[in-house]
Amino acid sequence: MKQKYIILLSLIIAPLIFCIWFFFPYMLWEKEATSFFVFTPDYFHLVMDGKGGIPALIGNYLLQFYRWPLIGALLQALFPTIVLLSVMHIIHRFPISKKWYFLSLLPALWVAWNQFQEEFLTDSVLYALLSILAAIVIEICYRFIGWKSEVNEKKKVSKKEKLYYLVPCLFFVGFAFFVLQNKRLKKQERNYNMEYFAYSGRWNKLLDLIGNDDKNEMKDLCYVTLALSESDILGDRLFHYPVNSEEYFLFMGDASLHGTFFNQLFYEHIGVYNQAIHQAFQEATKSKYGMSFRVLMNLIRFNIALGNEKMANKYMDILSHASCYGDWIEYQRKELEVSLKKERKMDDETVYMTNATLSNLYNIVQAGNINIPLNHYYLCTLLIRKNLLAFTNHLRDNSYVLKNAIPQHYMEALILADALGFKIKGLDFPDLLVRQFNEFQSLIGKKDMAMIQAKYKNTYWYNYYFMTFPDDPYQPSNMVSH
């Protein structure tokens, strides 16, 4: 019976942990993306010299393969299983009843839980190595000292003793329920899911994940505005969300690992690559080893976009010393060849983002940056600030922004601006939209807020009349009109 018990325990814990991690695939991705490993003497010296030693070296090597969730989940299941089998072997060599095998689940499940807390794999590898070492020491003592490990077991198991065999099932069920219902872990997984969708450019999935909730946090709204802009619908759907400040466009003043990651995507999108590179190095400073796979890959992409052949090749050479990026590097080298053939206009002035999003966007567009998404960010900022004079002036002077079509919120704002006397000559408004605007105005006169919210909450008109925004501590007077 005891042998079957051993097999049962070892067979259950591995698939249990494996299946649980399938509910947290983006946590596995995050572990790999923010880790770092290269086969270079400098890196080996760095890790061995006070950064975790051999367990960290083994863990960081294995983390490379977490790019694939299947392999990541398998490796996550491996460590608790090693601990379980090692502790069971230790119990096996002691002269105690083997019904106590279930106690080996306690350290194994503790290691499994700790995997959700640890940043890398250093702890998991350390506990696995220590448990193996302890089992080897006990085995040596058993063989050389020769203590007796067997006890007289009853051939027939009583009903009371059968309860011991139910305990592991209770442990497994309790552990799975505790992990899968943990609110903190589910929130972490959702945040990592947002980062993954943004990094991989899956903007529709990102918007579906976040949803439209008035209780969305600032981080959610930052990803919403980026997804809308990347999908070229920022001017059509911005006011479908509770975005009452342009500070939701990026993590201004946030030097955290996750804030700097988002800012890289924002600056890349608006074509300000010097800032994207700066934010990448900021993220690297928050990494344990001063670099990560995600930062290194971003630095390669940003330098390719700039046509900086020397730096792009330098970072690709570094990444080539890892194990899993050969195909990706080969693709990027082709992208570099294409990028070097493009004609580039040298910037007369290098612009940096500092403390206030509105003033910075103004400075960049005034410096002549004709990046379309950048100009839409600026125009939407003016709408948020209800500065219809500057909005109409910028559209009049930069009509190329509307070469495809006039976004829905822009048209709503232009109708309102026209009513306020800020006209753009030769612009015709759709009859339906004009009738809706007139109805909206009449509902305001009637103070029928229920009907206004039901029909017009997602329009710019509602934002203009009813939304408030934080005070901007720095708003140059020359920003009002030009």
Side-chain angles (χ1 to χ4, degrees):
M1 184 68 178
K2 66 183 181 183
Q3 296 300 327
K4 293 181 179 179
Y5 193 59
I6 294 173
I7 295 172
L8 179 64
L9 281 178
S10 59
L11 286 180
I12 291 179
I13 193 170
L16 174 74
I17 304 302
F18 175 81
C19 292
I20 285 176
W21 275 102
F22 254 81
F23 288 91
F24 300 94
Y26 302 105
M27 194 175 292
L28 294 173
W29 170 79
E30 180 76 10
K31 284 178 179 289
E32 185 273 339
T34 57
S35 67
F36 189 56
F37 182 93
V38 287
F39 285 99
T40 63
D42 289 346
Y43 176 78
F44 279 76
H45 177 74
L46 173 68
V47 177
M48 295 301 294
D49 187 24
K51 292 293 185 178
I54 292 177
L57 204 59
I58 296 173
N60 293 345
Y61 172 77
L62 294 176
L63 274 172
Q64 298 176 98
F65 303 98
Y66 279 49
R67 295 185 70 193
W68 301 282
L70 177 64
I71 298 177
L74 283 171
L75 290 172
Q76 290 293 88
L78 174 65
F79 301 113
T81 303
I82 290 175
V83 172
L84 172 75
L85 295 176
S86 298
V87 176
M88 289 182 71
H89 181 77
I90 292 172
I91 294 175
H92 178 68
R93 287 309 187 195
F94 278 95
I96 59 176
S97 175
K98 301 314 180 246
K99 66 186 179 183
W100 297 106
Y101 273 139
F102 75 87
L103 292 177
S104 59
L105 279 175
L106 296 177
L109 292 178
W110 182 84
V111 170
W113 169 248
N114 190 66
Q115 288 179 316
F116 290 95
Q117 322 305 319
E118 62 178 343
E119 184 179 4
F120 301 123
L121 290 183
T122 305
D123 290 346
S124 292
V125 174
L126 177 62
Y127 299 142
L129 292 177
L130 289 176
S131 65
I132 292 173
L133 179 61
I136 292 174
V137 170
I138 294 298
E139 181 66 20
I140 291 173
C141 292
Y142 168 77
R143 291 184 179 275
F144 285 91
I145 298 176
W147 69 55
K148 186 178 180 182
S149 64
E150 297 295 330
V151 295
N152 294 325
E153 300 277 3
K154 297 178 182 178
K155 292 183 178 181
K156 187 176 182 180
V157 181
S158 66
K159 292 183 179 180
K160 183 178 180 181
E161 288 177 325
K162 286 182 179 179
L163 294 176
Y164 287 100
Y165 300 104
L166 295 177
V167 174
C169 297
L170 297 177
F171 279 1
F172 287 135
V173 172
F175 179 78
F177 181 82
F178 181 74
V179 171
L180 296 177
Q181 297 300 317
N182 189 281
K183 293 182 179 180
R184 180 181 62 83
L185 293 181
K186 289 197 286 187
K187 184 176 181 179
Q188 275 186 328
E189 177 68 7
R190 178 182 178 275
N191 288 339
Y192 296 150
N193 195 351
M194 285 196 302
E195 292 185 1
Y196 176 79
F197 282 160
Y199 190 75
S200 57
R202 304 180 187 189
W203 306 113
N204 288 335
K205 289 187 175 181
L206 178 58
L207 290 172
D208 291 340
L209 173 68
I210 297 174
N212 187 357
D213 188 343
D214 289 341
K215 296 181 180 179
N216 281 333
E217 299 176 358
M218 178 178 179
K219 181 175 183 177
D220 300 335
L221 295 176
C222 285
Y223 277 97
V224 162
T225 56
L226 179 62
L228 293 176
S229 184
E230 287 277 8
S231 303
D232 198 25
I233 54 175
L234 184 67
D236 294 292
R237 290 183 55 189
L238 175 64
F239 299 111
H240 290 216
Y241 299 86
V243 180
N244 66 337
S245 171
E246 71 279 358
E247 302 304 329
Y248 291 123
F249 290 165
L250 78 166
F251 286 76
M252 183 59 70
D254 186 345
S256 68
L257 185 143
H258 301 288
T260 52
F261 164 71
F262 175 86
N263 289 345
Q264 291 168 61
L265 302 181
F266 172 82
Y267 291 124
E268 179 187 20
H269 178 51
I270 65 175
V272 185
Y273 289 101
N274 62 315
Q275 278 291 294
I277 291 173
H278 173 70
Q279 290 292 319
F281 281 114
Q282 288 278 8
E283 182 184 349
T285 64
K286 302 298 178 181
S287 303
K288 185 175 182 180
Y289 300 102
M291 184 54 68
S292 69
F293 286 128
R294 183 166 71 189
V295 169
L296 197 52
M297 294 169 75
N298 279 347
L299 287 172
I300 291 169
R301 294 192 302 107
F302 300 154
N303 279 284
I304 287 176
L306 286 172
N308 192 334
E309 181 179 12
K310 182 178 179 180
M311 295 304 295
N313 280 322
K314 171 187 173 181
Y315 294 127
M316 282 191 280
D317 288 342
I318 295 173
L319 189 57
S320 67
H321 290 284
S323 301
C324 304
Y325 292 88
D327 293 341
W328 189 86
I329 292 174
E330 184 179 350
Y331 174 79
Q332 295 303 320
R333 292 196 189 279
K334 294 178 181 178
E335 290 290 299
L336 178 59
E337 292 178 6
V338 174
S339 178
L340 293 175
K341 296 177 182 178
K342 295 180 180 179
E343 293 185 6
R344 288 181 171 80
K345 178 184 176 182
M346 297 299 295
D347 292 333
D348 297 329
E349 180 181 358
T350 300
V351 182
Y352 290 90
M353 300 289 274
T354 53
N355 61 335
T357 306
L358 178 54
S359 60
N360 279 280
L361 289 171
Y362 173 80
N363 289 332
I364 295 176
V365 296
Q366 289 302 99
N369 194 313
I370 60 173
N371 178 280
I372 298 294
L374 171 65
N375 278 269
H376 281 302
Y377 271 119
Y378 176 61
L379 287 165
C380 286
T381 298
L382 294 176
L383 291 184
I384 290 172
R385 290 287 166 178
K386 307 178 183 182
N387 192 336
L388 292 178
L389 175 59
F391 174 78
T392 53
N393 284 342
H394 188 76
L395 279 182
R396 186 183 298 112
D397 297 339
N398 302 275
S399 57
Y400 68 89
V401 176
L402 304 179
K403 62 180 180 180
N404 294 325
I406 301 178
Q408 178 71 19
H409 291 322
Y410 290 11
M411 187 64 78
E412 293 166 353
L414 289 170
I415 290 176
L416 177 58
D418 186 79
L420 297 175
F422 309 136
K423 301 179 182 292
I424 295 181
K425 294 181 179 179
L427 184 64
D428 295 324
F429 303 124
D431 292 338
L432 176 60
L433 207 57
V434 172
R435 289 198 298 272
Q436 290 175 338
F437 175 68
N438 291 332
E439 182 185 30
F440 176 80
Q441 294 282 42
S442 66
L443 291 173
I444 289 179
K446 297 176 183 177
K447 298 181 180 180
D448 190 349
M449 285 303 301
M451 185 61 69
I452 290 174
Q453 288 189 333
K455 298 188 67 173
Y456 297 106
K457 185 178 180 181
N458 293 332
T459 65
Y460 176 66
W461 307 321
Y462 183 89
N463 178 86
Y464 185 86
Y465 283 98
F466 301 108
M467 292 292 286
T468 60
F469 49 83
D471 292 332
D472 189 347
Y474 177 65
Q475 186 174 358
S477 58
N478 64 352
M479 194 183 307
V480 176
S481 64
H482 57 279

